[in-house]
Amino acid sequence: MSIEVLSVRIERRRDGHYADTSTPRLSWTVRTDAPNWVQSGAEVRLDAEHVVELEGADSVFVEWPFAPLQPHGRHAVEVRVRGGDGEFSPWSEPVTVRAVFLGEGEWRAEFVGLAEPVGEACPGLVRREFEVNGDLASATLYATAQGVYQVSVNGSDVDTDVLKPGWTSYQYRIEHEATDVTDLLSTGRNAIGIRFAGGWFTEKFGFHGEGRAFYGDQPAVAAQLHLQYLDGRTEVLSTDSQWRGAAEGPVVHSGIYDGERIDARRHLPAWDRPGFDDGGWPAVAVRRSEVVPEPMSSEPVRRTDELGVREVLTTPSGKTVVDFGQNLVGWVRVQVQGEPGHVVSVRHAEVLEHGELGVRPLRHAKATDEFVLSGGHDVFEPQFTFHGFRYAEVSGWPGEFDPSALTAVVVHSDMRRTGWFECSDERVNRLHENVVWGMRGNFLSIPTDCPQRDERLGWTGDIQVFSPTATTLFDSGAFLAAWLKDVAAEQQGLGGVCPFVVPQVLPDGGRPAAAWGDAATVVPTVLAERFDDRRALAEQYPSMRAWVDVMAERAGENLLWQGDFQFGDWLDPDAPPESPGDAKTEKDLVASAHLIRSARIVAETAALLGDADGASRYADLAERARQAFLAEYAVPVHRLTSDTQTAYSMAICYELVDGEARQAMGDRLAELVAEAGDTIRTGFVGTPIICDALTRTGHADTAGRLLLQTAVPSWLYAVTMGATTIWERWDSMLPDGTINPGQMTSFNHYAFGAVADWLYRCLAGLAPAAPGYRRIRIAPTPVAGIDDAAARVETPYGMAEAGWAVQDGMLTVRATVPPNTSAVVALPGEAEREVGSGTHEWSVPDPRRSA
């Protein structure tokens, strides 16, 4: 028997060794060939000398067992585990822990920008030279921006991250990086340079071409370089009025929505190296900021993939368009040679419409990059913008067009992939991959609605419905926990209201709306369920309570939330193209249902966190609101006043009804699906839960028919139309190849992809039965039309797998349960059973035969 500690991770990030707090939590996974293995204890060793013994099976988010870390500290952590037989594993490989936080009052860098900007949101460069007076033990750069930036030291970029520091609610919170730059420095004269642009900080947010700069008109940067010498001396170099800056460099202008203009003739050789003559550059302007930057706590944005041109097309109007074969988010790298001053432009779009680039869905976003040639061999790559696209229209190419000169660079927050699914139907597999690509494109610093038009905002309703899927597909715990900090910050400024978008930049976005604001309660709960992240739950608990208090206040004494603005079941397929909120389900019914759901979530959270008074108060609120809901919206024979797929799905999944009423509503839901020809008739609210509602009430066969439907509206309709991401509307493109006439149409919008969570939990049968998958539920749901299905999820305890296949009338189920976990197995026609870790296989008669 062998036991091995496979990995040790620090806190949440995929990097696994950055401590953004003095007491980072530890997690580890174990590999063993011993079946039913459970950890009985562990030892953690710090710096090869301090050992702490831990009793019990905890191995996920274990509290820091040593004295709190000090700023700038670097340590080595090792773990070994003990099984029930008392046998210890060897020590794990040492993991370096870097304390990336600063001490109280230690941030001293001033935000600096251009003293002489050229126009609004002017990109620029700032620099400073300095001396390294001796041998260095370490050098750490702490940097951030009101905008986006990159730092270079002696001519080399400090890392491969892009669009730093990402988008936060700048007026409340901003993050800094902490990068080891020791190897980039040398004794003597050195130089540090920062190139930057406005990014989200200067972008004009709003609709109908009426956008405004919400945060500021000009970007600024802040940095401090900590030098630790071998003799114990410490020096700090910070941005201040002594730095110099100018509107120089290749980036002429840059915007998130419009794109970037890069002029290769403006290249400044060695501007970020010692000895560059910056005598003509004025001193920087110091910008006031009351916000003290905090360490970055989630994964940075990075280049993660590259795709070549799949096909070159000539449009009916004679334009050259390249197809990369996949709707993605990032930019195009261009290699080209031509006359100096010649301009090559690349315009991006997600689809073609009747052979031409489909730009109408972009609305006012230009989504165009312009490259001005130097006369030599140029390689252009945007730095401070991004686009959502599959197709690119290339104009002004000098000479014969060479498609190999273009490369699509995929960009998103660099989370670790954790979920994989496949089944016998390739269309469903493509649907799943569309969900994955949609998440990749829209998890870029914040969870956005879409990545291409003049929006790209952190819509709370979208992530509320998608968070279970997001936490299955990728290790998105750090990403979402960081975004939730902005949710809480925005709520404090809005009297508890969780706004439409976070960060909140819309003129009317601070109003309460059901299902959207419920991101404040749902997302932290999902983090606790999927990752066992109770710290995130505890940190967000005041935010969760504040949102439910707002809902209860809006509902008033009768506890029915009525008469306010609501999005309702947004994008109901029967809503007119120009009125996406005109759904069949009553908006007030939707609002009151969410009050009950969120009040119950807060009650359960309060109980988990030991707040007995809160648990009692919110449980009472939820029950009284439920009774009011039934009195207002339930009618005889177990129907609702909104006789819709979404209404019954909410009643079942939000546990608004039980017993006979619950089953009757499940039966009615199945009837409504059949009456609609097995097509889906739900919007944002109903779509994520309809398959669950059907499955829970014995209508998995109906859920299967919904899944495999190809007529519009359905999940597979877009697949039959060649989609490679999830669409915003069920019919974002009409069958004749015309883009939906509504002015709001995106072809990369993950909300309807929330069905992927059902693919894992129900169809394949792999679900968490306890926080963090410490206990797993294996309960496959075979449906007609699919012969096999399998899912893998890298849980906090290791890889879990479940899958099934039907052959010769028998259903064979296989599962892998990670060490230190157990599983409850529910096979068709058999009593539930418990199993321990290891690989398992069972066979039972195919339940579909008897059905």
Side-chain angles (χ1 to χ4, degrees):
M1 180 180 69
S2 64
I3 308 171
E4 175 188 7
V5 177
L6 191 60
S7 67
V8 178
R9 298 182 61 207
I10 311 298
E11 201 51 60
R12 300 180 176 121
R13 285 175 53 163
R14 72 167 292 173
D15 309 78
H17 57 274
Y18 291 98
D20 60 9
T21 173
S22 61
T23 54
R25 294 171 296 173
L26 303 174
S27 299
W28 55 85
T29 58
V30 174
R31 178 166 56 194
T32 178
D33 56 9
N36 307 315
W37 189 88
V38 177
Q39 175 185 298
S40 64
E43 291 184 346
V44 184
R45 185 162 65 185
L46 182 68
D47 297 332
E49 56 183 31
H50 306 291
V51 177
V52 173
E53 296 184 14
L54 304 173
E55 294 298 324
D58 289 348
S59 62
V60 172
F61 285 142
V62 175
E63 295 296 330
W64 183 250
F66 305 104
L69 299 175
Q70 297 300 306
H72 317 294
R74 300 187 185 208
H75 304 274
V77 171
E78 301 162 89
V79 175
R80 67 174 185 170
V81 297
R82 184 182 70 232
D85 58 359
E87 180 182 349
F88 269 103
S89 72
W91 287 103
S92 67
E93 289 295 319
V95 172
T96 300
V97 181
R98 287 185 55 218
V100 297
F101 56 91
L102 292 167
E104 184 72 26
E106 201 174 0
W107 181 269
R108 64 181 71 173
E110 296 180 289
F111 279 90
V112 299
L114 300 181
E116 300 174 3
V118 181
E120 295 181 350
C122 181
L125 309 173
V126 297
R127 70 183 305 276
R128 179 76 187 272
E129 294 190 18
F130 60 97
E131 296 287 335
V132 172
N133 300 302
D135 294 330
L136 288 171
S138 67
T140 304
L141 173 73
Y142 301 87
T144 189
Q146 295 172 333
V148 287
Y149 75 100
Q150 179 56 289
V151 181
S152 53
V153 174
N154 294 330
S156 298
D157 285 356
V158 299
D159 56 30
T160 58
D161 303 348
V162 297
L163 296 166
K164 299 184 295 186
W167 187 9
T168 56
S169 297
Y170 297 115
Q171 72 273 41
Y172 303 120
R173 196 176 74 87
I174 191 168
E175 296 186 329
H176 67 72
E177 67 172 316
T179 309
D180 187 336
V181 296
T182 311
D183 292 342
L184 299 180
L185 296 171
S186 58
T187 302
R189 197 71 171 168
N190 292 263
I192 181 171
I194 309 177
R195 55 190 189 271
F196 58 90
W200 297 280
F201 188 81
T202 59
E203 189 55 73
K204 294 183 177 180
F205 300 106
F207 304 123
H208 314 297
E210 301 172 353
R212 64 188 179 96
F214 185 86
Y215 301 108
D217 294 328
Q218 296 293 342
V221 295
Q224 55 190 62
L225 179 62
H226 288 239
L227 305 177
Q228 182 70 46
Y229 290 95
L230 288 175
D231 61 11
R233 289 178 297 126
T234 299
E235 292 181 6
V236 179
L237 173 74
S238 301
T239 46
D240 57 20
S241 60
Q242 301 302 306
W243 288 54
R244 292 182 176 273
E248 299 280 357
V251 181
V252 180
H253 63 69
S254 178
I256 297 292
Y257 296 158
D258 286 347
E260 201 157 282
R261 182 179 177 91
I262 303 175
D263 189 339
R265 299 171 302 176
R266 288 165 46 110
H267 175 62
L268 286 178
W271 75 274
D272 50 359
R273 294 179 180 273
F276 177 79
D277 183 6
D278 61 10
W281 292 20
V284 295
V286 176
R287 306 283 170 76
R288 182 179 177 83
S289 175
E290 300 297 330
V291 179
V292 177
E294 61 189 61
M296 184 178 294
S297 58
S298 66
E299 291 80 6
V301 179
R302 294 187 177 119
R303 304 170 182 87
T304 62
D305 203 353
E306 294 186 357
L307 299 178
V309 172
R310 176 175 293 184
E311 186 177 6
V312 179
L313 307 168
T314 301
T315 74
S317 65
K319 297 176 180 177
T320 298
V321 170
V322 295
D323 175 10
F324 291 100
Q326 171 64 53
N327 198 15
L328 59 95
V329 173
W331 50 70
V332 177
R333 181 191 304 124
V334 175
Q335 302 183 57
V336 62
Q337 186 167 2
E339 293 296 320
H342 185 78
V343 178
V344 173
S345 66
V346 178
R347 192 176 192 189
H348 308 76
E350 297 181 300
V351 295
L352 300 178
E353 185 175 31
H354 305 306
E356 299 287 350
L357 199 68
V359 297
R360 182 174 62 82
L362 300 177
R363 298 191 304 212
H364 294 274
K366 294 178 182 178
T368 300
D369 294 327
E370 297 176 333
F371 307 124
V372 184
L373 310 190
S374 69
H377 179 76
D378 295 317
V379 179
F380 294 98
E381 184 168 341
Q383 300 179 60
F384 303 125
T385 188
F386 62 91
H387 309 286
F389 66 101
R390 171 176 172 170
Y391 299 92
E393 182 181 289
V394 182
S395 304
W397 191 267
E400 183 178 354
F401 179 65
D402 178 9
S404 68
L406 272 62
T407 303
V409 180
V410 180
V411 170
H412 58 83
S413 291
D414 192 16
M415 303 166 294
R416 185 177 76 255
R417 178 80 181 270
T418 54
W420 295 265
F421 169 89
E422 61 181 352
C423 71
S424 59
D425 193 314
E426 287 303 319
R427 301 168 303 173
V428 177
N429 294 339
R430 181 67 250 185
L431 169 68
H432 176 265
E433 286 307 298
N434 290 359
V435 180
V436 172
W437 275 97
M439 179 175 170
R440 290 177 73 178
N442 281 294
F443 272 54
L444 195 158
S445 180
I446 66 167
T448 56
D449 59 327
C450 61
Q452 71 300 101
R453 65 182 179 227
D454 56 347
E455 195 164 352
R456 315 184 199 187
L457 304 176
W459 282 95
T460 48
D462 299 56
I463 190 57
Q464 185 268 121
V465 301
F466 190 73
S467 54
T469 298
T471 51
T472 298
L473 297 179
F474 287 86
D475 184 5
S476 51
F479 178 97
L480 291 173
W483 178 76
L484 284 170
K485 294 180 182 179
D486 291 309
V487 170
E490 297 285 6
Q491 283 184 266
Q492 286 186 332
L494 293 169
V497 173
C498 178
F500 300 166
V501 299
V502 174
Q504 193 333 76
V505 292
L506 298 179
D508 61 349
R511 294 177 289 166
W516 272 245
D518 293 81
T521 60
V522 172
V523 178
T525 307
V526 170
L527 295 185
E529 177 190 75
R530 302 303 172 94
F531 302 120
D532 199 11
D533 193 347
R534 295 196 182 191
R535 180 179 292 181
L537 200 61
E539 289 172 348
Q540 295 302 126
Y541 180 51
S543 158
M544 298 168 71
R545 290 183 57 147
W547 170 241
V548 173
D549 290 346
V550 167
M551 300 173 84
E553 181 183 6
R554 301 304 301 173
E557 292 185 3
N558 67 359
L559 294 180
L560 295 170
W561 191 357
Q562 298 174 322
D564 280 347
F565 167 83
Q566 298 290 348
F567 291 103
D569 194 26
W570 186 254
L571 286 172
D572 178 322
D574 295 327
E578 292 299 335
S579 300
D582 290 349
K584 299 181 292 296
T585 308
E586 298 172 63
K587 291 182 179 180
D588 289 345
L589 183 154
V590 171
S592 293
H594 280 82
L595 167 59
I596 302 163
R597 181 195 188 197
S598 277
R600 188 176 286 144
I601 286 174
V602 172
E604 293 169 352
T605 300
L608 184 66
L609 298 177
D611 178 8
D613 291 341
S616 175
R617 172 190 167 193
Y618 288 103
D620 177 68
L621 171 63
E623 181 55 28
R624 288 188 293 117
R626 188 180 78 90
Q627 294 299 331
F629 177 93
L630 294 176
E632 181 76 7
Y633 297 114
V635 296
V637 298
H638 304 311
R639 298 286 179 88
L640 295 173
T641 53
S642 285
D643 188 35
T644 65
Q645 293 181 11
T646 289
Y648 294 120
S649 295
M650 288 192 303
I652 295 163
C653 291
Y654 298 171
E655 299 181 355
L656 309 181
V657 294
D658 53 21
E660 182 181 337
R662 178 177 182 270
Q663 186 59 50
M665 290 189 183
D667 295 343
R668 178 56 183 159
L669 174 59
E671 290 176 3
L672 288 173
V673 172
E675 290 171 7
D678 292 328
T679 59
I680 197 162
R681 298 290 169 173
T682 57
F684 268 36
V685 170
T687 298
I689 57 177
I690 185 171
C691 287
D692 272 294
L694 290 166
T695 303
R696 293 180 191 183
T697 53
H699 298 288
D701 54 341
T702 304
R705 290 196 297 272
L706 268 184
L707 175 68
L708 298 178
Q709 176 64 255
T710 58
V712 61
S714 68
W715 283 290
L716 294 187
Y717 165 71
V719 172
T720 67
M721 293 290 287
T724 60
T725 44
I726 299 297
W727 293 352
E728 180 175 20
R729 296 176 183 263
W730 294 111
D731 58 350
S732 284
M733 180 163 285
L734 306 183
D736 66 356
T738 301
I739 295 172
N740 187 288
Q743 62 88 26
M744 182 195 75
T745 299
S746 159
F747 292 87
N748 192 351
H749 219 94
Y750 54 59
F752 287 158
V755 69
D757 193 51
W758 180 84
L759 297 179
Y760 283 81
R761 290 184 294 100
C762 296
L763 185 60
L766 180 61
Y773 290 84
R774 191 165 190 165
R775 189 165 181 257
I776 298 167
R777 181 172 179 82
I778 298 169
T781 308
V783 298
I786 294 181
D787 297 324
D788 60 71
R792 291 184 295 134
V793 175
E794 187 179 334
T795 77
Y797 294 90
M799 189 67 73
E801 302 183 39
W804 56 268
V806 173
Q807 187 174 12
D808 299 328
M810 296 297 291
L811 174 72
T812 300
V813 178
R814 296 179 177 86
T816 300
V817 180
N820 211 25
T821 70
S822 62
V824 56
V825 182
L827 302 179
E830 296 196 356
E832 292 187 357
R833 69 189 78 181
E834 293 273 349
V835 298
S837 64
T839 301
H840 306 274
E841 181 175 316
W842 309 272
S843 291
V844 297
D846 180 1
R848 299 173 301 179
R849 278 196 166 187
S850 58

